[in-house]
Amino acid sequence: MTVLYDRVALIGLGLIASSMAHAMKRGGLANTITGYARSSQTRDIAREIDLCEVHETAVDAVHDADLIVLCVPIGAMDSVMAEIGPHLKPGAVVSDVGSVKGAVVAAVTPHVPEGVHFIPAHPLAGTEHSGPRAGFAELFDNRWCILVPDVDSDQAEVDRLARLWRGMGSNVDEMDADHHDLVLSVTSHTPHLIAYTMVGVADDLSRVTDSEVIKYSAAGFRDFTRIAASDPTMWRDVFLTNKDATLEILGRFTEELFALQRAIRKGDGEHLHAYFTRTRAIRRGIIEAGQDTDAPNFGRGPASTK
Ligand code: NAP
């Protein structure tokens, strides 16, 4: 175990920040972890579970911090950084965990003082749960964390942040912000939008009762509902800030959907079979990369309601 930072400040104390606090403690990666959340209720919960040294203001939480991680919704990054910027010590590193990178870089960079490093990051790990009680040390294990340094970033600090994420269990990659936002719109953002839509469709369909939807959900719908239960604030911000990439992928999605719709109307089984054979190979690739289980029913026992 190597201490990588003396003082780490977490701004926002939700799922991601609390998981980071647990993972840093597990790895002995920081001497002191401080934190701040907007509501006194969240701060009280964080104190109750002894998550970190909780402060009443963000400015107090970042005092003398070596690493400050912004763990707030994307739409709050600008105002949070404007508030803490003048109080950061020279040489400190600011990072974030926002799910969109271009918009966060644009919001945060103007408030980063001279002599302070800004290295954006995005851990590709999450659950549909929110708040400080939702966090757990294993959240990042064997998941990817993407760092988004720019050409002027201090390489020693980029390496140190990469070591922190590895210490918390992640694999680490680097990308530029635009590419990150395009990749994530394919792998995360658009799938979430589709899940929200499918659950909305089921909700609107009066010929199928709610109790039927719930009773027969294990046939596939249940997995959409898990994704569609994700935090509304976070996901609103994702779509407001990753607009271009999402619209591009949605355009492609719609074209493919129309092609499948036509194949179904024409009874073109060959087209459908070839398409589903191609997509099956992607699932195999994900399992081979250790990013999911090939256990039947995603590893859920038959009686499990997880
Ligand atoms: P969360 O559980 O809802 O926690 C958000 C935290 O931010 C709460 O502590 C909240 O405080 C605080 N907050 C909100 N607005 C604030 C403000 N204006 N000033 C100070 N604190 C504020 O959210 P999360 O899932 O940890 O997500 C945090 C970030 O991680 C987001 O940027 C998201 O894009 C990113 N991310 C999420 C996931 C995921 O799957 N959840 C995965 C990767 C990255 P209160 O409780 O007091 O309101």
Side-chain angles (χ1 to χ4, degrees):
M1 293 197 193
T2 317
V3 173
L4 293 169
Y5 296 94
D6 184 35
R7 283 178 84 80
V8 177
L10 302 172
I11 306 301
L13 292 172
L15 167 72
I16 300 296
S18 57
S19 296
M20 288 184 72
H22 292 302
M24 283 189 277
K25 287 184 206 171
R26 178 186 70 177
L29 304 169
N31 282 329
T32 305
I33 304 171
T34 66
Y36 167 76
R38 171 180 59 169
S39 68
S40 59
Q41 195 191 2
T42 299
R43 296 196 296 273
D44 286 346
I45 295 171
R47 285 192 187 100
E48 196 186 310
I49 62 174
D50 204 15
L51 187 68
C52 61
E53 189 183 295
V54 180
H55 290 266
E56 285 302 295
T57 68
V59 169
D60 286 345
V62 302
H63 177 72
D64 205 28
D66 303 288
L67 171 68
I68 302 92
V69 189
L70 308 176
C71 304
V72 295
I74 297 160
M77 299 270 180
D78 184 339
S79 60
V80 166
M81 190 57 204
E83 187 187 345
I84 63 172
H87 305 278
L88 303 180
K89 72 175 179 187
V93 173
V94 173
S95 188
D96 76 294
V97 294
S99 307
V100 175
K101 298 282 40 120
V104 171
V105 170
V108 170
T109 306
H111 307 296
V112 178
E114 194 67 36
V116 169
H117 310 278
F118 175 40
I119 309 169
H122 177 204
L124 308 192
T127 73
E128 66 278 27
H129 301 296
S130 306
R133 288 193 204 279
F136 54 100
E138 299 78 23
L139 179 67
F140 310 113
D141 285 353
N142 199 29
R143 297 283 170 246
W144 285 93
C145 180
I146 300 176
L147 302 188
V148 183
D150 69 21
V151 281
D152 300 326
S153 297
D154 182 308
Q155 194 54 48
E157 292 300 348
V158 174
D159 293 345
R160 181 152 66 140
L161 190 63
R163 274 193 285 149
L164 178 79
W165 278 104
R166 286 197 195 96
M168 290 191 288
S170 286
N171 306 312
V172 176
D173 233 342
E174 286 184 22
M175 271 181 208
D176 67 48
D178 283 352
H179 192 63
H180 167 279
D181 290 353
L182 183 64
V183 170
L184 265 292
S185 101
V186 177
T187 58
S188 169
H189 304 166
T190 309
H192 270 79
L193 199 68
I194 293 164
Y196 281 122
T197 314
M198 194 57 229
V199 175
V201 166
D203 193 37
D204 286 344
L205 199 68
S206 54
R207 275 175 297 148
V208 180
T209 65
D210 283 355
S211 67
E212 281 173 316
V213 168
I214 292 164
K215 188 168 159 192
Y216 302 121
S217 69
F221 184 71
R222 182 173 63 181
D223 296 304
F224 281 105
T225 63
R226 189 187 64 74
I227 298 174
S230 299
D231 185 66
T233 305
M234 169 183 160
W235 286 95
R236 176 203 61 197
D237 287 1
V238 164
F239 294 116
L240 291 179
T241 56
N242 197 15
K243 207 171 174 171
D244 293 347
T246 305
L247 290 177
E248 181 184 335
I249 301 305
L250 263 185
R252 286 166 183 263
F253 175 82
T254 315
E255 283 172 24
E256 301 268 325
L257 193 64
F258 279 143
L260 288 173
Q261 194 176 346
R262 200 175 56 223
I264 292 168
R265 179 169 296 120
K266 287 178 150 182
D268 185 350
E270 222 168 281
H271 179 95
L272 296 173
H273 192 270
Y275 201 92
F276 302 156
T277 304
R278 184 155 65 90
T279 54
R280 197 177 211 191
I282 301 227
R283 172 79 189 153
R284 225 175 287 128
I286 290 170
I287 290 159
E288 276 162 21
Q291 294 297 305
D292 205 355
T293 171
D294 67 348
N297 203 16
F298 304 101
R300 293 186 184 108
S304 167
T305 53
K306 261 203 323 199

